[in-house]
Amino acid sequence: MAPRVFWKGYLKLSLVTCRVTMTPAVTESAKVRFHNLNRKTQNRVLNQYVDSVTGDPVDEDDQVKGYPKGENDYVLLEDEEIEDVGLESTRTIDIETFVPADSIGWIWYDRPHYLAPDDEVSAEAFTVIREAMAKTKTGGIARLVMYRRERAVLLLPKDKGIVVWTLRYGDEVRDAEDYAAEKPSEKPDKAQLKLVEKVIGERTQAWKASMASDPVQEKLLDIIAKHQKGRKPKKGAGGKASEPSSNVIDITEALKRSLQAEKKSSRR
């Protein structure tokens, strides 16, 4: 079944405008989900906002956003005030700036979406914009209201369509330098470097979607199937995986053993 379009609007570049649709490029619909139930009645347990002091339920109309300025002291803001600050949801992706396609680091990328022309009339303008970005190796930057917030988005040409990435906000991305490993005082040993390259070569394969499979999901589905058949699943070994030994002294010897193990494994 084709994925449902969740956004319709316009793609605009200068005086060129075309109708477009947007669909999330990833989905979690196949993920195993559970409901919280009352064990005695098997009725669903509902979440409810309550007053932290009185314990009384709070109606939605009585809930308000508060910015803490001190202990138990808040600046209260109405929803209308917060919404007025943001960009009006004009349903238009207006590309005002272009950047080299490879200039934005992966850490800024948030959620991907597929953009496509909404009708045959729009296909011509859409194709021209996409091909021009592909030829110039650029991506378009625009702003859009998505998921109830104003976001910067990056448009990149992809095959016969365009991928729209929502970008992370500037205050969400931490500086990698603060977490980088300390640089060694000397350059890596050439012999060790070659051995690591050989290990990488032994383990290099073509990318497959199965490499990103979810083994926990598969085990959960197996447990659910057994419950449905009235069989109680056996308890697995479980527990934490044993941690690798950290007392390796001779890196070169360890790498040689790794290569030997890789070759034995490939012969099986």
Side-chain angles (χ1 to χ4, degrees):
M1 188 172 68
R4 188 176 65 179
V5 170
F6 94 119
W7 187 93
K8 283 191 175 187
Y10 298 88
L11 175 62
K12 183 174 182 288
L13 174 59
S14 188
L15 300 178
V16 180
T17 304
C18 59
R19 296 174 61 87
V20 290
T21 63
M22 198 187 309
T23 308
V26 296
T27 178
E28 294 187 349
S29 61
K31 205 167 190 173
V32 173
R33 298 183 183 278
F34 298 99
H35 294 298
N36 286 331
L37 305 179
N38 182 332
R39 186 187 293 275
K40 295 179 180 178
T41 64
Q42 293 197 11
N43 295 329
R44 287 183 61 180
V45 178
L46 301 178
N47 292 326
Q48 188 178 41
Y49 285 101
V50 298
D51 189 297
S52 62
V53 177
T54 66
D56 297 329
V58 181
D59 293 334
E60 188 174 348
D61 291 341
D62 293 326
Q63 295 172 26
V64 64
K65 300 289 190 298
Y67 179 83
K69 63 177 182 178
E71 188 174 354
N72 297 323
D73 191 12
Y74 301 90
V75 176
L76 303 184
L77 296 176
E78 298 296 334
D79 289 341
E80 293 78 8
E81 293 178 279
I82 297 172
E83 290 171 1
D84 286 344
V85 174
L87 181 75
E88 287 187 19
S89 182
T90 58
R91 292 275 172 178
T92 300
I93 304 173
D94 189 357
I95 307 176
E96 295 184 350
T97 307
F98 290 89
V99 297
D102 59 357
S103 64
I104 298 180
W106 61 268
I107 200 167
W108 291 95
Y109 287 45
D110 186 22
R111 295 189 190 181
H113 308 75
Y114 292 135
L115 197 69
D118 193 23
D119 49 49
E120 290 186 12
V121 176
S122 300
E124 183 178 1
F126 180 91
T127 302
V128 169
I129 294 173
R130 183 197 66 218
E131 291 301 310
M133 286 196 296
K135 191 171 183 179
T136 56
K137 296 181 180 180
T138 57
I141 299 290
R143 300 198 71 84
L144 193 62
V145 175
M146 292 178 68
Y147 307 109
R148 304 181 72 178
R149 293 188 71 180
E150 181 182 332
R151 296 175 178 273
V153 295
L154 170 66
L155 286 77
L156 293 173
K158 172 68 175 173
D159 300 327
K160 294 183 179 180
I162 292 173
V163 175
V164 177
W165 282 93
T166 55
L167 298 177
R168 299 188 189 279
Y169 296 103
D171 57 2
E172 292 179 339
V173 178
R174 290 173 172 162
D175 190 346
E177 286 296 321
D178 295 338
Y179 303 91
E182 291 184 12
K183 295 179 180 179
S185 56
E186 299 177 2
K187 290 185 178 180
D189 181 82
K190 289 184 179 180
Q192 292 177 357
L193 201 59
K194 286 184 179 179
L195 286 171
V196 173
E197 289 172 358
K198 285 183 180 179
V199 172
I200 292 172
E202 291 284 343
R203 294 194 173 200
T204 300
Q205 301 177 23
W207 161 256
K208 297 178 291 187
S210 59
M211 291 178 179
S213 63
D214 184 354
V216 173
Q217 169 107 341
E218 293 167 5
K219 289 175 183 176
L220 281 172
L221 289 171
D222 184 52
I223 291 172
I224 291 168
K226 287 177 179 176
H227 272 285
Q228 288 175 330
K229 291 178 181 178
R231 290 187 285 133
K232 207 166 186 180
K234 294 180 181 179
K235 287 188 177 181
K240 295 182 179 178
S242 58
E243 294 186 5
S245 174
S246 61
N247 60 347
V248 177
I249 298 173
D250 191 337
I251 297 176
T252 303
E253 184 61 29
L255 289 170
K256 287 180 179 178
R257 289 179 184 176
S258 296
L259 276 173
Q260 290 172 357
E262 293 294 332
K263 288 176 181 176
K264 285 180 182 178
S265 177
S266 63
R267 291 196 195 107
R268 291 175 187 171

